[in-house]
Amino acid sequence: MAERGMVAPTSAPGRRIEWMDALKGILILLVVIGHVLLPIHTERPYVSGVYDLIYLFHMPLFIFVSGFFAKHAVDGEGRQRVDRVLTYAALGIAFNVALRLFAGQSLTLLRVLDLPSAPWYLVSLATWYLLVPFFARLKPAPGLVFAALISIAATVIRDQTDVLALSRSAHFLPYFFAGYYLSAASLERLRAPRVRCVLVCAGIAAALCYLAFQDELAGIYPFVYGNSVCRMRLLVAVPGYLLISALGIVLALCCMALAPAGTRGTGRLISRPLSFLGRRTLQIYICHRFVREAMAQMGFYDWAVGLDQPVLLALLVAIALVICLVFSWGGFTWVTNKLISPRWSFMTRP
């Protein structure tokens, strides 16, 4: 998520990696499109196919990007910077409470802490930031192996829970620390022209493979959410988890390769609006869920499901684009910056 005070990735001192902003813009568009499609994604094959492809990779890649930006989570002496941890946790809980009240639900302690919807991401960010000092002491290879083992165990062995988003935090843990360990120089190597061509071809192949075997993969697809109870035998669940994760990783790499970085001409016309959205992801992420909830309450989906499939898909994507544009307004940016700017040092004062 875009946030004030975050150390921006740079390819040279003082210079942003422009394509990373564009990538974040692509990802927030996919997040909003996915959430707008969700209420009826099982009703129409066209919608289902697009929805499933988005969910295969968009959150792992978003989390990877968040990890890449998290290198400032500890100070020069390896000590935890608690402001970001507490801010994300408080914002996530407040978001959950507001969304439940907007949906007309009564509040209990369990509902306040139960995060089955969009607020889970903010609380998970707090958890991952909290773990940075530990993983910062590990070398990348053992750190990623350890994170992957936690993810596999939490996803395919134990029952899942949405309380404080613990299941999703564990499930997506490797993606966050893959981004954290990766340097800007290593990331740029993925942008070499030949590498990008290979990644795009691999991504297209992965998408076609999934769509060709969509019905056969339906049993393992719930693993992409990170909070679905595993109902498979262990010998089936682990390979299924690895397969669906591999498809998602290939698609994520393809998306990274496609992120535009043009500074002139047509490339600039594409990258500039995406970069604009990419620097406003947090406000869009929070606000769009209230719009989706309002659409459901007003019966929009009951009406829309009767439309022809191409028209339905085009309409939902157009609505998502409008939502992103509306909530990228500077006024929302100001409010969001105020929400993430508290300093919690008063809690440690004598």
Side-chain angles (χ1 to χ4, degrees):
M1 298 295 171
E3 50 186 280
R4 190 178 68 179
M6 179 175 277
V7 177
T10 58
S11 55
R15 183 180 177 187
R16 297 180 67 92
I17 299 179
E18 293 295 335
W19 70 267
M20 282 288 282
D21 285 332
L23 176 62
K24 289 162 61 183
I26 293 172
L27 289 173
I28 195 60
L29 282 171
L30 292 176
V31 167
V32 178
I33 291 171
H35 281 167
V36 171
L37 297 180
L38 189 150
I40 54 175
H41 77 279
T42 60
E43 303 294 330
R44 293 288 187 270
Y46 282 22
V47 174
S48 177
V50 173
Y51 172 90
D52 284 358
L53 286 177
I54 289 174
Y55 270 78
L56 272 175
F57 75 93
H58 81 306
M59 285 315 298
L61 184 52
F62 223 143
I63 292 162
F64 171 88
V65 172
S66 297
F68 182 75
F69 278 91
K71 295 176 175 59
H72 71 294
V74 294
D75 62 21
E77 298 180 2
R79 294 174 301 192
Q80 178 79 64
R81 289 176 171 166
V82 300
D83 282 340
R84 196 62 68 188
V85 173
L86 296 177
T87 296
Y88 278 137
L91 187 57
I93 296 297
F95 183 14
N96 186 47
V97 169
L99 196 56
R100 287 186 180 277
L101 291 175
F102 189 79
Q105 300 178 12
S106 59
L107 291 180
T108 64
L109 179 60
L110 180 59
R111 284 184 175 176
V112 169
L113 299 179
D114 194 54
L115 303 161
S117 187
W120 74 265
Y121 184 70
L122 298 175
V123 175
S124 288
L125 271 179
T127 301
W128 297 323
Y129 269 66
L130 191 63
L131 293 173
V132 165
F134 171 77
F135 279 91
R137 290 176 171 81
L138 300 177
K139 293 183 178 180
L144 290 177
V145 169
F146 183 55
L149 291 175
I150 292 175
S151 176
I152 294 172
T155 303
V156 307
I157 298 175
R158 302 184 63 180
D159 288 343
Q160 307 298 293
T161 176
D162 287 318
V163 175
L164 293 177
L166 293 176
S167 293
R168 298 201 207 207
S169 298
H171 174 80
F172 292 112
L173 188 66
Y175 301 103
F176 183 86
F177 284 102
Y180 176 79
Y181 285 130
L182 194 67
S183 67
S186 298
L187 191 64
E188 285 298 330
R189 295 191 188 102
L190 295 174
R191 298 284 293 178
R194 290 184 179 179
V195 176
R196 292 177 70 185
C197 182
V198 170
L199 292 179
V200 170
C201 292
I204 293 173
L208 293 176
C209 178
Y210 174 77
L211 293 175
F213 297 98
Q214 189 173 6
D215 292 339
E216 289 78 5
L217 295 173
I220 63 173
Y221 187 85
F223 284 142
V224 303
Y225 299 109
N227 67 336
S228 298
V229 176
C230 178
R231 306 186 186 281
M232 301 178 182
R233 292 180 294 110
L234 188 59
L235 291 178
V236 177
V238 172
Y241 167 92
L242 295 175
L243 174 60
I244 209 74
S245 298
L247 289 173
I249 290 170
V250 173
L251 285 169
L253 291 171
C254 175
C255 186
M256 289 175 62
L258 288 172
T263 57
R264 63 184 64 181
T266 304
R268 183 174 175 82
L269 289 176
I270 298 173
S271 64
R272 284 195 68 183
L274 289 174
S275 297
F276 178 82
L277 294 179
R279 291 190 288 269
R280 291 157 176 80
T281 53
L282 184 57
Q283 65 203 62
I284 296 172
Y285 186 80
I286 292 174
C287 295
H288 85 279
R289 274 296 283 109
F290 294 95
V291 176
R292 211 284 304 276
E293 182 62 34
M295 290 166 61
Q297 291 183 16
M298 292 187 298
F300 168 82
Y301 289 104
D302 295 333
W303 167 80
V305 75
L307 298 175
D308 291 339
Q309 289 194 64
V311 175
L312 173 62
L313 182 58
L315 175 62
L316 295 177
V317 171
I319 289 172
L321 292 175
V322 171
I323 289 172
C324 288
L325 291 174
V326 169
F327 291 115
S328 64
W329 174 57
F332 292 109
T333 305
W334 183 85
V335 172
T336 302
N337 286 338
K338 289 296 183 182
L339 289 174
I340 65 174
S341 62
R343 295 293 178 259
W344 298 84
S345 55
F346 70 90
M347 298 179 63
T348 61
R349 293 172 185 166

